[in-house]
């Protein structure tokens, strides 16, 4: 009998982890149609470890936001007890750091040890781990001992059945809650037949639940086929990838729905949770399959925004309805409201040099104001991002102390100087002081306290308070692969 509150991996059907597919809209849709467990797409540890956990009150989600403002992982209450977070890793310590970051927002942690694609195998991740069982054991042991949530892994079979069984038995001894096994080797692709005999041998060799994967093309085309696939492999559970990607209603016990209906259901979730337009297009094109060159397919492929995609499906009214809802929520939570955490006042502000005249910066303004007010000069404490990032790729946060109060931007900058400027900008904004942006200088240059060698024609003011600049409530640059970015809160 399953323990209440603990994810059960027996007698279940799961949505497999799929890059660019397993984002929040697809996971929620799979749950609606009957999936018991849903896996997110593989997310690389070195990217995740730098993320900040952000409660997105506008979307009712929890977002894990990278220093460059991309949303790497988005989840919500609806799936919290049934979503498995899959990571790509080759480092036990880094794996644990990521797992601890997301642990309270997911049901289990999974390590990808089977993906044969280069984006996963580079750095020794994915299927590359199959040739390093010592590292497999080290990663899984570290996670099992360091987490309160179940730990699982997903592998591929080895060329030898005996070696595959030995590997799975060694994995079982680490204390994992389940093992997903794709019934093909690292070198094989979907066109190759599935090795059900390997899956059956593995299932019979261990006591931990084995989740059979890889039967989408050979065996599973509708939910009626799931039981036959489980029986043929002797597995405790079944995991579906391509069959679910083509039509997520494969999880419906009542039978498949028309693809058009499924696409519309998917698009509603994509709009509701502000899914990236290009990720949405990708998933819809996978469902269209051989109809991707149809009139509908061409409209989807040429769409640039979620609004464009909704227009292709005749769902403009739904899109506008959701936008009204989100706009109302933004009104309740102004993006520029300062938030004080641990004695530090924070705002999501970024320093853009192009916004300021030559030789003028927020740091300069703040320093001159402190001198005018006879305060100690601002003190900046700047720290780099995670130790796991390459030195050349590090980002920075800075905290400025002014009059015994601390201020910081929540957005990471690419340089120490940029981070200090952003911190100064937050301080100026909170104190409602002039910031020196272009357009302010003509109105206030006569009151400027910045003299000396700097040109007075471009010197900014220090006495009159400029009104706060409006910031977009939307997140900054959004990635395409894996494209899970969307709107992030700015407070």
């Amino acid at each position: 009998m399953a323990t209440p509150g603990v994810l059960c991996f027996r007698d279940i059907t799961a949505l497999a982890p799929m890059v660019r597919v397993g984002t929040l809209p697809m996971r929620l849709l799979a749950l609606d149609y009957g999936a018991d467990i849903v896996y997110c797409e593989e997310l690389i540890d070195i990217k995740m470890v730098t993320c900040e956990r952000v409660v997105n009150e506008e979307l009712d989600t929890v977002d894990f936001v990278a220093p460059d403002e991309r949303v790497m992982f988005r989840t919500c209450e609806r799936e919290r007890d049934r979503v498995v977070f899959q990571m790509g890793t080759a480092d036990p310590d880094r794996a644990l750091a990521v797992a601890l970051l997301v642990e309270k927002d997911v049901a289990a942690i999974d390590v990808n040890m089977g993906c044969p694609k280069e984006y996963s195998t580079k750095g020794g991740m994915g299927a590359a781990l199959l040739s390093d069982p010592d590292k497999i054991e080290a990663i899984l042991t570290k996670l099992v001992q360091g987490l309160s949530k179940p730990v699982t892994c997903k592998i591929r079979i080895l060329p030898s059945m005996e070696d595959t069984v030995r590997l799975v038995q060694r994995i079982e001894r680490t204390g994992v809650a389940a093992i997903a096994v794709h019934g093909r080797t690292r070198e094989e692709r979907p066109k190759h037949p599935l090795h059900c005999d390997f899956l059956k041998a593995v299932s019979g060799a261990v006591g931990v639940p084995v989740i059979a994967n890889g039967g989408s093309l050979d065996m599973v085309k509708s939910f009626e086929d799931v039981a036959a696939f489980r029986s043929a492999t002797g597995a405790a559970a079944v995991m579906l990838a391509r069959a679910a990607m083509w039509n997520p209603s494969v999880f419906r016990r009542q039978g498949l729905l028309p693809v058009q209906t499924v696409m519309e259901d998917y698009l509603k979730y994509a709009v509701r949770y502000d899914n990236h337009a290009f990720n949405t297009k990708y998933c819809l094109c996978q469902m269209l399959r051989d109809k991707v060159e149809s009139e509908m397919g061409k409209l989807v492929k040429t769409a640039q925004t979620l609004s464009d995609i909704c227009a292709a499906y005749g769902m403009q009214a739904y899109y506008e309805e959701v936008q009204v809802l989100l706009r109302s929520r933004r009104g309740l939570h102004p993006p520029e409201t300062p938030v004080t955490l641990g004695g530090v006042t924070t705002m999501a502000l970024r320093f853009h040099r192009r916004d300021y005249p030559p030789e003028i910066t927020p740091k300069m303004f703040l320093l001159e104001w402190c001198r005018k007010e006879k305060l100690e000069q601002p003190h900046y404490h700047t720290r780099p991002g995670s130790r796991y990032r390459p030195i050349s790729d590090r980002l920075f946060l800075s905290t400025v102390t002014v009059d015994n109060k601390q201020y910081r931007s929540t957005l990471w900058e690419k340089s120490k100087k940029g981070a200090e400027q952003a911190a100064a900008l937050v301080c100026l904004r909170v104190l409602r002081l002039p910031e020196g942006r272009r357009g302010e200088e003509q109105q206030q240059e006569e009151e400027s306290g910045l003299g000396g060698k700097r040109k007075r024609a471009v010197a900014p003011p220090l006495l009159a308070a400029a009104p706060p600049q409006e910031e977009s409530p939307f997140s900054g640059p959004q990635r395409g692969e894996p494209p899970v970015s969307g709107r992030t809160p700015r407070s």
Side-chain angles (χ1 to χ4, degrees):
M1 180 179 294
T3 304
V6 177
L7 202 60
C8 176
F9 292 93
R10 292 189 183 276
D11 299 320
I12 57 94
T13 307
L15 174 71
M18 291 179 280
V19 171
R20 302 183 69 185
V21 174
T23 49
L24 183 57
M26 184 65 79
R27 300 196 304 266
L28 294 178
L29 191 60
L31 289 175
D32 285 352
Y33 289 150
D36 300 295
I37 294 174
V38 291
Y39 284 67
C40 76
E41 59 181 334
E42 177 194 17
L43 294 167
I44 305 303
D45 60 354
I46 201 166
K47 296 180 180 178
M48 281 297 303
V49 80
T50 65
C51 287
E52 177 184 2
R53 181 183 183 274
V54 177
V55 176
N56 188 331
E57 295 179 323
E58 182 180 327
L59 297 178
D60 286 331
T61 61
V62 173
D63 299 342
F64 291 85
V65 186
D68 61 4
E69 298 181 78
R70 294 180 297 174
V71 180
M72 304 299 293
F73 176 57
R74 170 167 286 163
T75 185
C76 66
E77 183 66 25
R78 163 86 169 86
E79 67 169 4
R80 186 173 67 172
D81 294 332
R82 292 200 278 172
V83 64
V84 179
F85 179 88
Q86 188 189 67
M87 77 173 87
T89 186
D91 183 282
D93 293 330
R94 192 159 59 229
L96 182 59
V98 172
L100 289 171
L101 175 67
V102 304
E103 182 182 22
K104 73 176 183 178
D105 297 299
V106 301
I109 303 294
D110 183 82
V111 179
N112 183 344
M113 299 180 173
C115 182
K117 300 296 180 64
E118 183 183 357
Y119 58 73
S120 186
T121 58
K122 64 182 180 183
M125 300 179 295
L129 286 170
L130 295 176
S131 58
D132 193 348
D134 290 341
K135 183 167 286 186
I136 287 177
E137 182 176 351
I139 292 171
L140 294 177
T141 300
K142 187 86 171 183
L143 291 173
V144 169
Q145 293 178 352
L147 300 176
S148 62
K149 294 291 177 70
V151 175
T152 67
C153 67
K154 184 172 184 289
I155 68 170
R156 283 187 168 232
I157 62 172
L158 300 176
S160 159
M161 184 181 293
E162 292 74 16
D163 288 341
T164 305
V165 168
R166 276 195 292 270
L167 175 62
V168 174
Q169 289 173 334
R170 185 171 182 180
I171 290 173
E172 181 184 31
R173 289 194 291 271
T174 65
V176 295
I179 306 170
V181 184
H182 185 112
R184 294 182 179 87
T185 66
R186 175 179 176 176
E187 290 74 25
E188 292 177 328
R189 294 297 177 264
K191 65 181 180 180
H192 295 100
L194 189 71
H195 299 279
C196 287
D197 53 339
F198 277 60
L199 292 173
K200 197 156 193 173
V202 165
S203 299
V206 292
V208 68
V210 171
I211 308 172
N213 177 232
S216 289
L217 187 62
D218 294 7
M219 303 188 67
V220 181
K221 295 178 175 60
S222 69
F223 186 80
E224 294 178 348
D225 301 324
V226 170
F229 182 38
R230 184 182 299 166
S231 176
T233 59
V238 168
M239 175 184 283
L240 300 179
R242 286 170 300 143
M245 175 179 70
W246 296 327
N247 189 333
S249 70
V250 70
F251 294 108
R252 287 183 82 245
R253 286 153 177 79
Q254 304 90 334
L256 290 170
L257 290 172
V259 173
Q260 180 69 22
T261 300
V262 172
M263 289 191 293
E264 291 174 3
D265 288 347
Y266 169 81
L267 187 51
K268 287 179 181 178
Y269 272 130
V271 172
R272 168 63 183 81
Y273 289 101
D274 194 36
N275 198 52
H276 195 287
F278 290 98
N279 176 228
T280 301
K281 284 170 55 174
Y282 178 84
C283 292
L284 290 170
C285 286
Q286 300 310 306
M287 296 182 209
L288 283 166
R289 299 186 70 187
D290 57 352
K291 294 183 176 63
V292 75
E293 295 302 327
S294 65
E295 182 178 350
M296 171 66 77
K298 290 177 181 178
L299 287 173
V300 173
K301 288 198 299 183
T302 57
Q304 296 298 307
T305 64
L306 286 175
S307 178
D308 294 341
I309 300 172
C310 285
Y313 285 86
M315 295 173 58
Q316 301 96 318
Y318 178 81
Y319 178 83
E320 289 301 326
E321 177 185 336
V322 173
Q323 299 314 303
V324 169
L325 170 66
L326 297 182
R327 282 194 293 270
S328 70
R329 290 181 176 179
R330 288 200 294 276
L332 294 174
H333 305 283
E336 292 224 349
T337 303
V339 175
T340 301
L341 298 172
V344 182
T345 301
T346 65
M347 295 179 73
L349 298 180
R350 188 176 297 287
F351 172 70
H352 295 291
R353 189 66 186 88
R354 63 179 178 273
D355 292 342
Y356 298 85
E359 302 183 48
I360 298 300
T361 66
K363 283 185 65 177
M364 184 184 302
F365 260 68
L366 188 58
L367 177 60
E368 292 293 339
W369 181 79
C370 288
R371 288 173 176 170
K372 177 178 177 296
E373 297 296 319
K374 296 182 171 55
L375 300 173
E376 291 186 11
Q377 69 179 34
H379 173 72
Y380 295 88
H381 174 70
T382 305
R383 65 182 178 89
S386 166
R387 66 187 178 90
Y388 296 113
R389 297 183 69 91
I391 294 295
S392 61
D393 192 34
R394 282 199 176 176
L395 300 174
F396 299 86
L397 279 181
S398 184
T399 301
V400 62
T401 301
V402 174
D403 195 20
N404 295 319
K405 297 179 181 178
Q406 294 183 311
Y407 306 86
R408 180 176 67 229
S409 171
T410 59
L411 306 182
W412 295 73
E413 294 282 351
K414 294 182 179 180
S415 69
K416 291 182 179 180
K417 291 182 179 179
E420 292 176 355
Q421 296 289 0
L425 183 57
V426 170
C427 181
L428 293 169
R429 186 74 58 91
V430 171
L431 298 177
R432 300 188 66 79
L433 296 171
E435 301 168 13
R437 292 174 180 268
R438 292 183 185 274
E440 294 180 357
E441 66 272 19
Q442 183 175 357
Q443 176 185 353
Q444 302 169 345
E445 73 175 39
E446 293 182 0
E447 299 173 345
S448 172
L450 298 177
K453 298 181 180 180
R454 293 189 291 276
K455 296 181 180 179
R456 297 189 62 83
V458 297
L462 287 175
L463 300 179
Q469 300 296 310
E470 187 67 22
E471 288 282 334
S472 168
F474 294 89
S475 64
Q478 297 172 317
R479 66 177 181 153
E481 287 193 33
V484 296
S485 53
R487 191 174 295 129
T488 59
R490 300 294 246 172
S491 59

